[in-house]
Amino acid sequence: MARGINKVILVGNLGNDPDVKYTQGGMAVTRISLATTSVRKDRDGNTQERTEWHRVVFFGKLGEIAGEYLRKGSQVYVEGSIRYDKYTGQDGVEKYSTDIIADEMQMLGGRGGGEGGGGGSYERSPRPQRQESAPRPQSAPSRQPAPADDFSDDDIPF
Amino acid sequence: MARGINKVILVGNLGNDPDVKYTQGGMAVTRISLATTSVRKDRDGNTQERTEWHRVVFFGKLGEIAGEYLRKGSQVYVEGSIRYDKYTGQDGVEKYSTDIIADEMQMLGGRGGGEGGGGGSYERSPRPQRQESAPRPQSAPSRQPAPADDFSDDDIPF
Amino acid sequence: MARGINKVILVGNLGNDPDVKYTQGGMAVTRISLATTSVRKDRDGNTQERTEWHRVVFFGKLGEIAGEYLRKGSQVYVEGSIRYDKYTGQDGVEKYSTDIIADEMQMLGGRGGGEGGGGGSYERSPRPQRQESAPRPQSAPSRQPAPADDFSDDDIPF
Amino acid sequence: MARGINKVILVGNLGNDPDVKYTQGGMAVTRISLATTSVRKDRDGNTQERTEWHRVVFFGKLGEIAGEYLRKGSQVYVEGSIRYDKYTGQDGVEKYSTDIIADEMQMLGGRGGGEGGGGGSYERSPRPQRQESAPRPQSAPSRQPAPADDFSDDDIPF
DNA sequence: TTTT
DNA sequence: TTTT
């Protein structure tokens, strides 16, 4: 449960190769710098461009895939959320940073700038539940008021 | 892995109470009819309205929550994807239907029209992996090139 | 002013070249068929694919650009809204259709599948304000290959 | 034309009443602070909350509407883009800020927290085309409480 | 600083 | 009907 929606959708190109690090626990933390450019005409009719550089972070399996397949120049679709952080720099001054925490990624263009090329979409892996054994979901009612006749006993369909 | 993005974001009101059914396996399949209205001025300056009625489907845990908390008139945020189906009606004629398969929902407005009221956001539960035992993720490299110094050993953070 | 949000975001590939028609008033109405594919593992661990074919419609200037630059196989980002229509077929039977009305488009991949290639983003032009004499858009070709028979001479519809 | 997609979708509650200022040219520049809260379970099964405070900016007509109808506590849907700015503070130190530039807004919940209540959606007005004499917008109040000192007399910025 |  |  949460309260509110915080969703970001980006399509842009990487300004550099991804930066991949690992936590002590072995989780990948991959960062990219992603450019999106918008264009408008100013009041004198001149075309003006402005580029935003987004700091995008991928965790876990998604971070490994990003680190492996993305390269400087790659075009990529990213979906995630905004996170604002405040920290104290080495100079003792309070600083602020903004990151996009990715939870879905799709390489675009067939060969985005890297050699591996190829498009493909990946989702952030669900956090593994920490539990002794996987109990049967308690949410399923013991008695069904009415069958959903157009779905078999499979799990959630497409 | 997938190829393409198919994403729908809706904010609207329910035209009726949810319709909850269950598969033989006990999975909830809840359907709602969601109205979104757009307004424009026609060439004569008159205001014209048009309402789309979306058929939204919630599966599993999300379907149970939708069935429990949503009511006719409730305002809700839904995120999901479009699914087109083709089937043969009882009259032998081919028919087409379009559904929005929800994977996130948030009740809006503090008391959307039902008594339970209250807002809150819910995500579609991840499909449980079917496996003998949960093996340690092979994706974690045996050796880490560099520690991600700003994340502890926790799982994926906020 | 409106009531509700009806938003669709697609990234996919064209199954065919665009179909461009013009209203009697000279407005372009361009249709494409856009594929998005999702993949999941079924309960037996087998990979299953499912492709949705979206009918996307571009009006006006955006329709002209889509018709000019998109080609079969092109990868494209589309943003728009869902519209459901009900009509009576030639056989007297009521039918339903679902279209995505585009209001933003971006060609992806650096060379979308056509020769013109190159990416770029375009927005639906605002509806021209009613004015003394509506000059014929200069971008409309002097000869229309085919009338868009299902749209009157109005400006961009809902 | 542009290159890239930079899209943000937020649903949240205002932490304070809107701050409305006007440029010397009479354009409203309204700022709100919008909270979105996410919840997760940490590895010990405890519920953890994290709230992001988004700085959202509305320009022009949209800014006037936001200033008029939104209030502390109001729930609102906002669509826009992210803009990162870098500036030198009064202390001579370089600082960074992140804003969400809104181009669509919808009040939620039937009575957003203010008296006017009611939901409704508004889009950013298209930039007026350069014209002989730019008439002063009639919607701008005859007296501006405070100048929006960080925007010149230009129209809606990036 | 909001909200539940 | 696309794409990988």
Side-chain angles (χ1 to χ4, degrees):
Chain A
M1 225 246 305
R3 185 99 193 139
I5 298 294
N6 172 0
K7 181 162 289 292
V8 177
I9 289 171
L10 303 174
V11 174
N13 294 85
L14 278 76
N16 282 298
D17 283 352
D19 170 46
V20 186
K21 291 190 169 58
Y22 291 87
T23 63
Q24 293 192 340
M27 179 180 65
V29 179
T30 299
R31 293 169 187 280
I32 66 170
S33 194
L34 194 66
T36 60
T37 299
S38 57
V39 181
R40 67 157 202 178
K41 296 231 187 251
D42 66 16
R43 52 198 318 160
D44 300 322
N46 300 322
T47 293
Q48 290 190 346
E49 285 203 354
R50 184 185 159 104
T51 297
E52 306 301 332
W53 285 98
H54 308 269
R55 297 171 29 144
V56 180
V57 191
F58 304 88
F59 292 100
K61 182 66 180 161
L62 197 54
E64 295 167 22
I65 295 168
E68 180 169 8
Y69 292 107
L70 298 180
R71 288 292 172 268
K72 177 176 178 172
S74 296
Q75 189 179 35
V76 68
Y77 169 97
V78 168
E79 190 179 325
S81 59
I82 313 180
R83 189 183 61 189
Y84 308 97
D85 284 306
K86 179 178 167 182
Y87 61 98
T88 305
Q90 311 226 6
D91 53 3
V93 179
E94 282 202 337
K95 312 205 168 180
Y96 299 83
S97 67
T98 300
D99 293 285
I100 307 305
I101 309 302
D103 43 47
E104 188 164 356
M105 181 198 76
Q106 171 137 185
M107 292 169 280
L108 303 173
R111 46 51 310 194
E115 58 286 0
S121 169
Y122 304 88
E123 280 185 60
R124 179 158 138 176
S125 13
R127 306 181 75 243
Q129 294 302 114
R130 283 238 171 188
Q131 43 192 21
E132 300 294 43
S133 61
R136 196 135 178 313
Q138 300 157 325
S139 52
S142 54
R143 200 168 172 289
Q144 294 80 29
D149 51 13
D150 49 352
F151 285 102
S152 67
D153 199 7
D154 289 3
D155 282 323
I156 295 170
F158 274 100
Chain B
M1 228 248 303
R3 185 104 192 134
I5 298 294
N6 172 0
K7 181 162 290 291
V8 177
I9 287 170
L10 304 173
V11 174
N13 295 83
L14 278 76
N16 282 297
D17 283 353
D19 170 46
V20 187
K21 289 189 169 62
Y22 292 87
T23 62
Q24 294 192 340
M27 180 180 64
V29 179
T30 299
R31 294 170 187 280
I32 64 170
S33 194
L34 195 65
T36 60
T37 300
S38 57
V39 181
R40 68 157 202 178
K41 296 232 186 249
D42 68 13
R43 52 198 320 161
D44 300 322
N46 300 322
T47 292
Q48 289 191 347
E49 285 204 355
R50 183 184 160 104
T51 295
E52 306 300 332
W53 285 98
H54 309 268
R55 298 171 28 145
V56 181
V57 190
F58 303 88
F59 293 101
K61 181 68 180 160
L62 196 55
E64 294 168 22
I65 295 168
E68 180 169 7
Y69 292 107
L70 299 179
R71 287 294 172 267
K72 178 176 178 173
S74 296
Q75 189 179 33
V76 69
Y77 169 97
V78 169
E79 190 179 325
S81 60
I82 314 177
R83 189 182 63 189
Y84 308 99
D85 284 305
K86 180 178 167 181
Y87 60 98
T88 305
Q90 310 227 10
D91 53 3
V93 179
E94 282 201 338
K95 312 206 169 180
Y96 298 84
S97 67
T98 299
D99 293 287
I100 308 303
I101 309 303
D103 43 48
E104 188 164 353
M105 180 197 78
Q106 170 137 185
M107 293 170 279
L108 303 172
R111 46 55 308 195
E115 59 288 358
S121 169
Y122 303 88
E123 281 185 59
R124 178 159 137 176
S125 14
R127 308 180 73 241
Q129 293 302 114
R130 283 239 171 186
Q131 42 192 21
E132 300 293 46
S133 61
R136 194 138 181 312
Q138 300 158 324
S139 50
S142 53
R143 200 170 171 289
Q144 294 81 27
D149 51 13
D150 50 350
F151 285 103
S152 67
D153 199 7
D154 289 2
D155 282 322
I156 295 171
F158 274 100
Chain C
M1 226 250 301
R3 184 104 192 137
I5 299 293
N6 173 359
K7 181 161 289 291
V8 177
I9 288 171
L10 303 174
V11 174
N13 295 84
L14 278 76
N16 283 299
D17 283 351
D19 170 45
V20 187
K21 289 191 171 57
Y22 291 87
T23 62
Q24 293 191 340
M27 181 179 65
V29 179
T30 299
R31 294 170 187 279
I32 65 170
S33 194
L34 195 65
T36 60
T37 301
S38 57
V39 181
R40 69 155 201 179
K41 296 231 187 248
D42 66 13
R43 54 197 318 160
D44 300 322
N46 300 323
T47 294
Q48 289 191 345
E49 285 204 355
R50 183 183 159 105
T51 296
E52 306 302 330
W53 286 99
H54 308 268
R55 296 170 30 143
V56 181
V57 190
F58 304 87
F59 293 100
K61 182 65 181 160
L62 197 56
E64 295 169 20
I65 294 168
E68 181 169 7
Y69 292 107
L70 298 180
R71 288 293 172 268
K72 177 176 179 172
S74 295
Q75 190 181 34
V76 70
Y77 169 97
V78 169
E79 190 179 324
S81 58
I82 314 179
R83 191 182 61 190
Y84 308 98
D85 283 305
K86 179 178 167 181
Y87 61 97
T88 305
Q90 309 227 8
D91 52 4
V93 178
E94 282 200 339
K95 312 205 169 181
Y96 298 84
S97 67
T98 299
D99 292 286
I100 308 304
I101 308 303
D103 44 46
E104 187 163 356
M105 181 197 75
Q106 171 137 187
M107 292 170 280
L108 302 173
R111 59 24 335 181
E115 60 286 359
S121 169
Y122 304 88
E123 280 185 60
R124 179 157 139 176
S125 14
R127 306 182 75 242
Q129 295 302 113
R130 189 73 160 133
Q131 44 192 21
E132 296 300 29
S133 66
R136 198 136 180 310
Q138 298 161 325
S139 50
S142 54
R143 201 169 171 290
Q144 294 80 28
D149 51 13
D150 49 352
F151 285 102
S152 67
D153 199 5
D154 291 1
D155 283 322
I156 296 171
F158 274 101
Chain D
M1 226 247 302
R3 184 105 193 135
I5 298 295
N6 172 0
K7 181 162 289 292
V8 177
I9 288 170
L10 303 174
V11 174
N13 295 83
L14 277 77
N16 282 299
D17 282 352
D19 169 45
V20 186
K21 290 190 169 60
Y22 291 87
T23 63
Q24 293 191 341
M27 180 179 65
V29 179
T30 300
R31 294 170 186 280
I32 64 170
S33 194
L34 195 66
T36 59
T37 299
S38 57
V39 181
R40 69 158 201 176
K41 296 232 186 247
D42 66 14
R43 53 196 321 160
D44 300 323
N46 300 323
T47 294
Q48 290 190 345
E49 285 205 355
R50 183 184 160 104
T51 296
E52 307 300 332
W53 285 99
H54 308 269
R55 297 169 30 142
V56 181
V57 191
F58 304 87
F59 293 100
K61 183 66 181 160
L62 196 56
E64 295 168 21
I65 296 168
E68 181 168 8
Y69 293 108
L70 298 180
R71 287 295 171 267
K72 177 175 178 173
S74 296
Q75 189 180 36
V76 69
Y77 169 97
V78 169
E79 189 180 326
S81 59
I82 312 178
R83 189 182 63 188
Y84 308 98
D85 283 306
K86 179 179 166 181
Y87 61 97
T88 306
Q90 309 226 10
D91 53 4
V93 179
E94 283 200 337
K95 311 204 169 179
Y96 298 82
S97 67
T98 300
D99 293 287
I100 307 304
I101 308 302
D103 43 49
E104 188 162 356
M105 181 197 75
Q106 171 137 185
M107 290 169 283
L108 302 173
R111 52 51 305 199
E115 59 287 0
S121 167
Y122 304 88
E123 281 185 57
R124 178 159 138 175
S125 13
R127 305 180 76 243
Q129 295 303 114
R130 187 77 161 131
Q131 45 191 22
E132 295 301 31
S133 67
R136 197 134 180 315
Q138 298 161 324
S139 50
S142 54
R143 202 169 170 290
Q144 294 80 28
D149 50 14
D150 50 350
F151 284 102
S152 66
D153 199 6
D154 290 2
D155 281 322
I156 295 169
F158 274 101

